[in-house]
Amino acid sequence: MIRHAVFVQECPVCGRPLEIRNEYVGRKVSCQHCGGSFTAMDGHEERDWCSPRERMLKKADQLLKLSSEKLSGRQRVLVG
C-alpha cells in the first residue's frame, strides 16, 4: 500500500480539518464535507491574515454563496 505525504488544512468555509496530499499545494481543491473550494496551502506559503471577526464574516459569505449555488442548481433540475 502506497502512503502519500499529507498535511492538514482547515476548510475556510466550514472549518473542518482536512488531510490534503502535498502534491495538491497551490491547486484549487474542494472540501468533501461542505463542497467549498479553496487553494491548498501547506503552511509554508504566505497566508491572508485577518482578524477573527473578518475571518468569520468571510466564512459566512462563502457558505451563503455555496448554498445559493446549490439551491439554484436544484431549481434548474426541478424546472428543466
Side-chain angles (χ1 to χ4, degrees):
M1 174 187 245
I2 298 174
R3 303 253 332 164
H4 296 277
V6 297
F7 61 95
V8 177
Q9 180 177 348
E10 181 180 288
C11 172
V13 179
C14 69
R16 184 178 211 137
L18 305 169
E19 287 188 354
I20 302 172
R21 289 185 188 177
N22 286 343
E23 63 200 64
Y24 296 127
V25 170
R27 292 185 183 174
K28 195 160 194 139
V29 296
S30 297
C31 175
Q32 293 180 350
H33 176 70
C34 73
S37 60
F38 57 96
T39 302
M41 295 187 301
D42 68 356
H44 298 296
E45 298 180 12
E46 190 174 316
R47 295 182 187 233
D48 179 24
W49 294 104
C50 55
S51 72
R53 180 179 184 275
E54 290 170 334
R55 190 171 25 255
M56 186 63 73
L57 289 172
K58 192 174 186 179
K59 282 185 183 183
D61 286 341
Q62 290 172 328
L63 284 170
L64 288 171
K65 181 181 176 189
L66 181 64
S67 61
S68 175
E69 290 170 356
K70 285 184 177 183
L71 181 60
S72 66
R74 287 184 189 143
Q75 290 173 343
R76 273 187 257 126
V77 171
L78 295 173
V79 174

